[in-house]
């Protein structure tokens, strides 16, 4: 149980285009999902917290107009990187917590999406 | 603000041996959770073990156990009978109760040698 999927796993796009990444909880309901960014050989940096039916909460220094987050259902959150530039190239990871599970504080992670902006 | 420190950037251990990864944290909170996650080369984050701060008993999951020293704010991970599949990046994480937001350490890269 507690499986989180991400799509796509790999995306290459041209500079100036927008890219959407989906995060789904497959076998549980997730009122809260998290989006992280990870640079090579570094730790995970929390970008934003996504709450179902409400606006996302962004961490300090993260541009909310650049990284649009939508959490329209209990099993789906999307991250859209708008007008992507090469510096947005990174590994993006989502996670979700099972609001009805026995360990509501535990985050379950998706497999990540590698974004390369040319 | 809470911080999490992993002072060992890289470690190696022989197969079947035991290794301990260190993690210290700084907080003024009393109610919190601590986690160890592993990130193998596939980059999928996998929960290894979790500890609730109000529980004095150290958590154990098969070959993985922790040494939780609340007063010292230390949370080390011991891997017994190391296996080649344990080769991964290991991250320590702190979560203040009811915030559900993790603060990750910088990670320790563990290599298990055959």
């Amino acid at each position: 149980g507690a499986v989180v999927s991400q799509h796509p796993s790999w995306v290459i796009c041209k500079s100036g285009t927008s890219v959407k990444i989906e995060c789904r909880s497959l076998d549980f309901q997730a009122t809260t999902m998290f989006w992280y960014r990870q640079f090579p050989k570094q730790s995970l940096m929390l970008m934003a917290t996504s709450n179902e039916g409400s606006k996302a909460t962004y961490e300090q220094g993260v541009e909310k107009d650049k990284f649009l987050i939508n959490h329209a259902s209990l099993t789906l959150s999307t991250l859209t990187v708008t007008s992507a530039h090469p510096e947005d190239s990174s590994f993006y990871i989502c996670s979700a917590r099972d609001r009805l599970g026995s360990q509501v504080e535990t985050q379950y992670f998706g497999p990540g999406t590698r974004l390369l902006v040319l | 603000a809470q911080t999490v420190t992993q002072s060992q950037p890289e470690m190696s251990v022989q197969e079947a041996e035991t290794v301990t990864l260190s993690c210290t944290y700084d907080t003024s909170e009393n109610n919190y959770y601590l986690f160890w996650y592993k990130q193998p080369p596939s980059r999928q984050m996998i929960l290894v073990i979790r500890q609730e701060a109000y529980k004095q008993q150290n958590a154990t999951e098969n070959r993985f156990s922790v040494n939780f020293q609340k007063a010292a704010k230390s949370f080390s991970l011991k891997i017994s009978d190391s296996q080649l599949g344990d080769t991964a990046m290991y991250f320590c994480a702190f979560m203040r109760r009811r915030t559900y937001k993790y603060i990750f350490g910088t990670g320790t890269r563990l290599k298990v040698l055959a």
Side-chain angles (χ1 to χ4, degrees):
Chain A
V3 178
V4 177
S5 69
Q6 268 184 255
H7 178 79
S9 56
W10 233 125
V11 58
I12 302 174
C13 69
K14 293 182 179 179
S15 186
T17 61
S18 294
V19 175
K20 181 184 284 188
I21 302 170
E22 291 186 350
C23 177
R24 293 183 186 273
S25 57
L26 298 185
D27 51 2
F28 65 97
Q29 293 181 338
T31 50
T32 307
M33 291 183 171
F34 304 86
W35 287 96
Y36 295 87
R37 185 172 180 176
Q38 186 179 31
F39 291 104
K41 297 186 178 182
Q42 292 190 23
S43 187
L44 281 70
M45 182 190 78
L46 180 64
M47 299 174 64
T49 302
S50 167
N51 294 296
E52 186 265 337
S54 65
K55 291 184 177 181
T57 304
Y58 291 82
E59 296 300 302
Q60 191 173 7
V62 177
E63 301 176 59
K64 59 182 179 182
D65 294 330
K66 175 109 182 126
F67 300 100
L68 299 180
I69 292 172
N70 183 275
H71 193 154
S73 77
L74 286 173
T75 58
L76 174 65
S77 176
T78 60
L79 168 68
T80 301
V81 183
T82 63
S83 187
H85 291 283
E87 58 265 29
D88 299 323
S89 298
S90 190
F91 190 66
Y92 293 87
I93 307 174
C94 74
S95 71
R97 65 180 191 92
D98 182 354
R99 72 186 187 107
L100 299 177
S102 60
Q103 299 180 357
V104 294
E105 67 284 345
T106 299
Q107 291 184 24
Y108 301 97
F109 286 81
T113 296
R114 190 181 303 276
L115 170 64
L116 178 62
V117 184
L118 302 176
Chain B
Q2 290 84 13
T3 59
V4 178
T5 302
Q6 293 180 251
S7 59
Q8 306 149 315
E10 292 186 2
M11 295 187 72
S12 62
V13 62
Q14 290 290 331
E15 197 175 7
E17 296 291 306
T18 296
V19 64
T20 299
L21 309 183
S22 68
C23 173
T24 58
Y25 56 95
D26 186 24
T27 184
S28 58
E29 302 289 330
N30 195 45
N31 294 319
Y32 52 87
Y33 294 84
L34 295 162
F35 305 83
W36 280 98
Y37 281 86
K38 72 181 264 189
Q39 188 179 41
S42 68
R43 301 190 79 172
Q44 169 75 59
M45 293 284 284
I46 301 166
L47 175 67
V48 176
I49 201 164
R50 62 190 280 276
Q51 175 81 42
E52 297 150 19
Y54 64 87
K55 288 188 176 179
Q56 292 186 337
Q57 187 173 6
N58 290 324
T60 300
E61 286 288 340
N62 301 313
R63 297 183 294 108
F64 300 89
S65 61
V66 297
N67 183 3
F68 174 48
Q69 301 289 328
K70 191 172 184 179
K73 297 179 184 175
S74 171
F75 183 60
S76 61
L77 174 69
K78 185 172 83 170
I79 306 174
S80 303
D81 185 26
S82 297
Q83 300 175 0
L84 296 177
D86 295 333
T87 293
M89 193 76 166
Y90 286 80
F91 291 100
C92 177
F94 171 97
M95 189 203 86
R96 186 159 58 98
R97 186 175 169 83
R98 294 207 178 101
T99 65
Y100 304 111
K101 288 168 61 172
Y102 285 7
I103 299 170
F104 282 98
T106 51
T108 295
R109 186 173 302 278
L110 176 68
K111 189 169 185 178
V112 180
L113 307 172

